């Protein structure tokens, strides 16, 4: 194994178990490891700190596979890591009454850059970094054996691959071609998932628990489900007895799937409204027409990819929340989310407070929401918390 030696005083994050080592912290590498190859990491004193994956083209030059003494990074190593990830989730399918879970959550499961969702018999995964690409054949073999899944589909069409010197790639990795529609369920709500054409690995499992909680506020109310994607919150709300549901999304394929998901749950296709458009414009149009709703859901995409985009993102969140809050009828509910890792829960709360102030409404938080529990967080990797939400009463 090649050895990367850190600069003096730059070993503290690694000693505390943080999985990332930036190029600026590395003093020397004693050769030219291949893309993603494991390297031994030593402190300036020579002490061994662990083994990580080498990303020669990325600012994050090493991601740690293992902390402590030198160990082979081989199939047996990945078998153990994957078995541990599955053990954490052993009771979750039953606990959350679902057949769809995030079974590998990258850094938080000690497997940097590897994100794998299970939809029934189908695994759908992203291999985002050089080390993940290097480990891919072993991960695929082990996970097919451990889960007994019928298919493993790859969705490594992620922007981050370019920073790692990797091309984007999608397609079948193992097993049989997955069906066009995989029907999953969250409690008694059904959703069709298309792992080939859907966003990310096909679907947003991270909102599962929030969909359940928010839907429990929907009975008898007019529900506005913005950034609906394939219907998520709105279909759950309809199933929970909403008076009406209006979905808004910019993507026609997402709304086509939302229609399918509506009928999958026993409702007529015209039982809900599917509005294709830009949420910012559609919210203004509702305001101008004096429309209001008893429950408004705001689940925008990531507005900030990096910390430098935080200011722009904050304006986006402020705008959408201001427009959204204005549409909530007196005594109604607001569920508002941010999935930008760069926006902390405190910052998000401040933005919503400013929006409420500008809207001239009294907004009280009844519950803070987070990414679903199968999207585990490592204590040593606070960057892993990205999705946060506020469920609010609006006066
Ligand atoms: N709430 C969804 C997930 C939302 S993902 C769920 O529970 O599954 C974000 C969605 O916002 C995507 O479907 C994307 O197409 C949509 N989107 C992004 N920008 C938009 C805009 N300006 N107006 C409307 N929709 C937008």
């Amino acid at each position: 194994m090649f050895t990367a030696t850190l600069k003096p005083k730059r070993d503290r994050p690694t000693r505390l178990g943080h999985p990332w080592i930036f190029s600026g912290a590395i003093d020397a590498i004693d050769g030219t490891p291949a893309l993603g190859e494991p390297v031994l990491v030593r402190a300036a004193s020579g002490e061994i700190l662990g083994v990580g994956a080498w990303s020669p083209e990325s600012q994050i030059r090493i991601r740690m596979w293992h902390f402590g003494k030198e160990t082979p990074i081989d199939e047996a190593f990945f078998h153990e890591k994957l078995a541990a990830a599955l053990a954490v989730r052993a009771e979750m399918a039953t606990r959350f009454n679902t057949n769809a879970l995030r079974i590998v959550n990258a850094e938080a499961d000690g497997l940097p850059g590897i994100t794998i969702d299970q939809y029934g018999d189908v695994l759908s995964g992203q291999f985002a970094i050089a080390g993940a690409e290097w480990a891919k054949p072993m991960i695929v073999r082990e996970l097919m054996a451990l889960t007994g899944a019928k298919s493993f589909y790859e969705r490594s069409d992620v922007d981050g691959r370019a920073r790692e010197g990797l091309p984007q790639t999608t397609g079948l990795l193992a097993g049989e071609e997955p069906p066009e529609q995989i029907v999953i369920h969250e409690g008694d709500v059904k959703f069709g998932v298309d792992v080939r054409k859907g966003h990310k690995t096909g679907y947003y499992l991270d909102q599962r628990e929030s969909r359940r909680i928010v839907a429990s506020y929907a009975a008898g109310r007019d529900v506005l489900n913005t950034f609906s994607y394939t219907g998520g919150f709105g279909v759950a709300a309809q199933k929970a007895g909403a008076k009406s549901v209006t979905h808004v999304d910019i993507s026609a394929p997402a709304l086509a799937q939302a229609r399918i998901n509506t009928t999958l749950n026993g409702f007529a296709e015209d039982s809900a409204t599917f509005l294709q458009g830009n949420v910012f414009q559609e919210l203004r149009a509702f305001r101008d027409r004096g429309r209001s709703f008893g429950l408004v859901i705001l689940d925008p995409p990531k507005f900030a990819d990096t910390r430098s985009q935080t200011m722009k993102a904050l304006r986006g969140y402020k705008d959408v929340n201001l427009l959204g809050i204005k549409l909530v009828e007196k005594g109604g509910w607001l569920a508002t989310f941010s999935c930008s890792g760069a926006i902390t829960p405190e910052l998000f709360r401040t933005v919503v407070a400013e929006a409420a102030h500008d809207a001239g409404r009294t907004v009280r938080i009844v519950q803070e929401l987070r990414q679903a529990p199968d999207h585990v967080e490592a204590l040593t990797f606070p960057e892993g918390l990205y999705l946060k939400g506020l469920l609010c009463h609006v006066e």
Side-chain angles (χ1 to χ4, degrees), residues 199 204 207 211 227-229 232-233 249-251 254 277-280 299-301:
H199 293 181
Y204 294 94
Q207 290 285 33
R211 280 189 281 267
F227 306 97
S228 67
Y229 187 47
F233 284 94
D249 203 281
I250 206 151
S251 154
N278 184 326
V279 165
F280 291 87
D299 186 22

Side-chain angles (χ1 to χ4, degrees), residues 191 207 210-211 214-215 225 228 231-238 297 299 337:
F191 294 102
Q207 290 285 33
S210 294
R211 280 189 281 267
V214 172
N225 182 28
S228 67
F233 284 94
V235 174
Q238 196 167 0
I297 297 136
D299 186 22
F337 298 91

Side-chain angles (χ1 to χ4, degrees), residues 53-89:
W54 184 246
S55 280
E57 301 199 13
S58 171
Q59 283 306 316
I60 309 175
R61 191 62 41 96
I62 298 173
R63 275 126 171 142
M64 298 301 285
W65 290 126
H66 168 77
F67 296 91
K69 66 178 178 14
E70 183 171 357
T71 197
I73 307 299
D74 53 12
E75 192 144 340
F77 173 85
F78 289 114
H79 177 92
E80 260 188 47
K81 286 270 179 186
L82 293 167
L86 291 175
V88 173
R89 291 148 177 97

